[in-house]
């Protein structure tokens, strides 16, 4: 065996081992799929629903609505089952909301260069079309406290928008690396405007971020939003989590696990 | 992930073909110098431009095998320090990595593929200073392991030569995203550098 072979083969093996560490996860149990044509956004959304093991139509299950569903659904469904089992609690319906329009349109509240401001219409789609469909076709809890929204980045921004402007829809918010910088921190203005009407409700909010999100826009608004919630909402169950050594993308999955853990702990 | 795999495949096919050419070359001439020093300047363009000053010291152990030291200081988000009332200061990264490289020779160039590992220190300070809201400061400091693949192209066979290098971090592991505007995992942290190398011994 010559020197070239001695060098290349171990290097190739190391690289292949490193790259094979990306484990594929699929949603456990039964998954039902359908498409909703929205009147509010004029777009069609692919919806998937992962049912809990031993799903019973006579029970009432909480539902986790997952933004960026194409990315996150399987991972959320897998870890919901795992964590609900760990805590000995009833699992949830995991609802994947696929992309109907561009996420920079659906998840952003106003129109600025970074997004087109379609969140009000998308919120109408969720509250007037998707949730009624889920709660009529599945054994879903119809109360605010039985509904959870989970989003990352612009999805987290949308979750913060839902918290501040449409707080009657969801009682639980799992916000991962939320883009709170958006439109000169417009969500902070919404929060100030609506604080009096929502501060005394019960909320569960998880705020997650990566320690290496150093793009000059993520950390300070994140910290400020946490302080606001902590200081002004007496009925809130709040957790802030920073994933060390991870950036905006790589912190997402660890924060999903932490967020679901926090949710099931307090469910 | 798929992009990285394609890149690795291209890299290996390139190095194998260049090594095949190498068999026709007279051995020895380009292996005269044992130590090279290669200061350089570079960018990490995604998602927001970072600029780096770096230095590579390469010690040739055999004709094909080298020990490599890589040192860099990176100024992060150099052109975006005040965005939406969020001010960013002291945003830099220091890195020291060591590794081994495998070199393949063509008539004028040397291709070196190396695996590097080391430690990186990151720090940055953000201030939300929007006059409509409360002012909030946030400072972050972090030490972390750093591992990745570096491809280096050496052009020129004399004492001074041109050096180009590309580094792909393998930590944190790549994460797939369906966001069409996003960059897949570590592809967001790829860096490109050029430098002037000196053969010193």
């Amino acid at each position: 065996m010559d020197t070239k072979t001695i060098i290349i083969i171990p290097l190739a093996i190391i690289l292949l081992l490193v790259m094979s560490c990306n484990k594929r996860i699929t949603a456990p149990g039964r998954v039902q799929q359908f498409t909703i044509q929205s009147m509010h956004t004029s777009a069609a959304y692919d919806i998937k629903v992962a049912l809990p093991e031993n799903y019973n139509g006579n029970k009432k299950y909480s539902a986790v609505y997952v933004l960026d569903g194409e990315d996150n659904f399987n991972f959320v469904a897998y870890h919901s089952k795992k964590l609900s089992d760990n805590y000995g609690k009833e699992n949830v319906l995991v609802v994947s909301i696929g992309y109907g329009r561009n996420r920079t349109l659906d998840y952003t509240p106003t129109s600025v260069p970074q997004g087109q401001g379609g969140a009000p219409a998308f919120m109408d789609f969720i509250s007037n079309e998707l949730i009624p469909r889920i709660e009529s076709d599945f054994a879903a809890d119809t109360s605010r406290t039985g509904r959870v929204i989970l989003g990352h980045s612009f999805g987290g921004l949308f979750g913060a928008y839902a918290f501040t402007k449409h707080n009657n829809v969801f009682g639980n918010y799992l916000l991962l690396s939320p883009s709170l910088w958006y439109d000169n921190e417009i969500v902070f203005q919404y929060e100030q405007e609506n604080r009096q009407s929502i501060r005394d409700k019960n909320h569960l909010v998880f705020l997650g971020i990566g320690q290496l999100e150093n793009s000059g826009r993520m950390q300070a608004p994140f910290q400020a939003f946490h302080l606001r919630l902590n200081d002004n909402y007496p009925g809130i169950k709040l957790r802030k989590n920073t994933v060390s050594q991870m950036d905006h993308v790589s912190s997402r999955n660890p924060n999903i696990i932490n967020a679901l853990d926090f949710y099931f702990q307090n469910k | 992930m798929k992009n990285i795999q394609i890149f690795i495949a291209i890299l290996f096919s390139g190095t194998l073909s260049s090594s095949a050419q190498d068999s026709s070359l007279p051995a020895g001439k380009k292996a005269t110098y044992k130590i090279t020093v290669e200061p350089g300047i570079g960018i990490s363009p995604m998602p927001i431009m970072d600029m780096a000053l770096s230095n590579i010291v390469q010690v040739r152990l055999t004709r094909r095998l080298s020990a490599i030291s890589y040192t860099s200081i990176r100024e992060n988000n150099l052109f975006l320090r005040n965005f939406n009332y969020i001010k960013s200061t002291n945003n830099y990264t220091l890195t020291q990595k060591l590794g081994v490289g495998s070199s393949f020779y063509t008539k004028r160039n040397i291709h070196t593929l190396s695996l590097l590992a080391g430690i990186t220190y990151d720090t940055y300070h953000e201030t939300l200073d929007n006059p409509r809201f409360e002012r909030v400061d946030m400072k972050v400091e972090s030490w972390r392991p750093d591992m990745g693949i570096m491809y280096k192209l050496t052009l020129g066979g004399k004492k001074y030569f041109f050096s180009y290098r590309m580094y792909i971090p393998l930590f944190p592991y790549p994460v797939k995203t369906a966001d069409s505007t996003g960059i897949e995992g570590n592809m967001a942290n790829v860096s490109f550098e050029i430098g002037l190398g000196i053969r010193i011994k």
Side-chain angles (χ1 to χ4, degrees):
Chain A
M1 193 180 281
D2 63 6
T3 318
K4 177 182 70 185
T5 315
I6 291 168
I7 294 164
I8 287 176
I9 290 176
L11 203 55
I13 291 169
I14 291 166
L15 292 174
L16 289 172
L17 282 174
V18 169
M19 291 188 294
S20 66
C21 291
N22 196 6
K23 185 182 171 188
R24 290 218 174 274
I25 286 178
T26 53
R30 271 196 299 153
V31 175
Q32 296 197 5
Q33 300 186 45
F34 54 93
T35 300
I36 300 182
Q37 177 65 45
S38 172
M39 305 274 284
H40 295 280
T41 66
S42 304
Y45 294 86
D46 290 331
I47 306 298
K48 290 182 196 170
V49 184
L51 304 179
E53 210 173 35
N54 305 319
Y55 173 75
N56 178 346
N58 295 321
K59 287 186 177 176
K60 288 294 174 194
Y61 297 94
S62 296
V64 177
Y65 292 83
V66 181
L67 300 173
D68 291 311
E70 275 89 342
D71 277 345
N72 301 328
F73 171 69
N74 286 333
F75 194 82
V76 171
Y78 176 86
H79 285 283
S80 290
K81 158 117 180 54
K82 197 172 168 184
L83 288 162
S84 60
D85 287 349
N86 286 353
Y87 285 110
K89 295 193 175 173
E90 192 80 73
N91 197 4
V92 294
L93 296 164
V94 177
V95 181
S96 163
I97 308 176
Y99 298 120
R101 305 186 293 181
N102 193 316
R103 70 197 292 280
T104 61
L105 172 59
D106 274 342
Y107 298 170
T108 56
T110 53
S111 182
V112 293
Q114 292 87 11
Q116 296 80 48
F122 187 60
M123 192 72 224
D124 285 341
F125 156 67
I126 290 178
S127 52
N128 299 326
E129 295 174 319
L130 176 60
I131 288 176
R133 173 81 181 267
I134 295 294
E135 293 178 356
S136 67
D137 290 6
F138 299 91
D141 184 345
T142 56
S143 71
R144 173 180 171 274
T145 52
R147 300 187 199 123
V148 185
I149 186 163
L150 182 152
H152 173 256
S153 195
F154 272 1
L157 169 70
F158 183 82
Y161 166 77
F163 176 86
T164 54
K165 289 278 273 188
H166 300 272
N167 194 274
N168 56 327
V169 179
F170 296 99
N172 310 276
Y173 302 82
L174 310 180
L175 312 181
L176 320 171
S177 302
S179 303
L180 300 169
W181 51 265
Y182 191 84
D183 191 9
N184 296 323
E185 301 80 35
I186 187 75
V187 165
F188 287 69
Q189 182 188 315
Y190 297 155
E191 190 276 330
Q192 276 180 199
E193 290 167 357
N194 297 300
R195 186 182 296 164
Q196 287 308 317
S197 61
I198 62 177
R199 62 176 293 170
D200 293 324
K201 289 183 183 174
N202 290 325
H203 314 274
L204 180 142
V205 179
F206 176 92
L207 292 169
I209 199 165
Q211 188 183 35
L212 299 182
E213 298 201 36
N214 64 349
S215 59
R217 61 184 70 181
M218 297 301 296
Q219 298 286 352
F222 178 84
Q223 177 74 358
F225 197 64
H226 174 259
L227 288 172
R228 279 193 173 201
L229 299 188
N230 194 50
D231 294 347
N232 297 296
Y233 292 80
I236 198 166
K237 286 177 183 165
L238 178 65
R239 179 177 291 176
K240 180 176 77 160
N241 185 64
T242 301
V243 183
S244 63
Q245 302 175 353
M246 295 285 168
D247 62 17
H248 188 67
V249 178
S250 57
S251 67
R252 183 189 62 193
N253 286 352
N255 265 328
I256 286 176
I257 296 170
N258 284 308
L260 290 172
D261 186 88
F262 179 59
Y263 171 70
F264 279 109
Q265 261 183 44
N266 291 283
K267 188 171 179 282
Chain B
M1 190 68 193
K2 194 177 173 187
N3 291 347
I4 293 179
Q5 285 169 334
I6 291 168
F7 171 77
I8 299 295
I10 292 168
L11 211 56
F12 271 106
S13 64
T15 53
L16 286 171
S17 71
S18 65
S19 69
Q21 291 169 31
D22 174 61
S23 61
S24 64
L25 291 172
K29 191 166 185 182
K30 285 181 179 171
T32 304
Y33 292 94
K34 283 201 166 177
I35 301 176
T36 59
V37 177
E38 302 170 40
I41 185 167
I43 57 168
S44 179
M46 300 170 283
I48 299 164
M49 183 81 80
D50 303 332
M51 289 208 71
L53 292 175
S54 67
N55 188 40
I56 292 175
V57 177
Q58 182 171 351
V59 179
R60 188 177 293 107
L61 304 173
T62 68
R63 178 169 158 77
R64 294 196 187 281
L65 186 66
S66 302
I68 292 178
S69 162
Y70 175 92
T71 310
S72 76
I73 176 165
R74 200 171 71 202
E75 190 76 22
N76 300 313
N77 309 328
L78 193 60
F79 304 110
L80 192 66
R81 290 302 179 88
N82 192 348
F83 175 74
N84 283 6
Y85 299 106
I86 304 159
K87 291 176 183 160
S88 174
T89 53
N90 291 331
N91 191 344
Y92 63 88
T93 299
L94 299 172
T95 299
Q96 175 61 57
K97 285 175 281 204
L98 299 171
V100 290
S102 173
S103 295
F104 303 94
Y105 298 82
T106 60
K107 280 188 177 174
R108 291 196 175 85
N109 311 328
I110 305 171
H111 305 270
T112 304
L113 182 67
S114 51
L115 193 62
L116 300 174
I119 193 157
T120 287
Y121 169 78
D122 298 277
T123 185
Y124 57 98
H125 184 188
E126 274 184 28
T127 304
L128 174 62
D129 197 12
N130 188 327
R132 294 182 297 161
F133 314 128
E134 62 277 19
R135 180 187 159 105
V136 174
D137 277 309
M138 185 75 187
K139 187 173 183 191
V140 174
E141 285 183 276
S142 157
W143 290 93
R144 64 186 160 103
D146 191 336
M147 184 177 75
I149 307 162
M150 186 174 71
Y151 166 74
K152 184 162 73 74
L153 172 66
T154 302
L155 294 175
K158 297 182 179 171
K159 180 166 185 176
Y160 297 97
F161 58 89
F162 174 80
S163 164
Y164 164 79
R165 51 255 191 179
M166 177 167 71
Y167 181 73
I168 299 180
L170 295 175
F171 176 86
Y173 297 121
V175 176
K176 175 83 178 161
T177 169
D179 175 8
S180 60
T181 63
I183 305 292
E184 276 185 28
N186 287 337
M187 293 307 285
N189 296 316
V190 171
S191 64
F192 307 93
E193 296 174 2
I194 54 171
L196 177 69
I198 310 161
R199 294 183 170 96
I200 61 169
K201 187 179 173 187

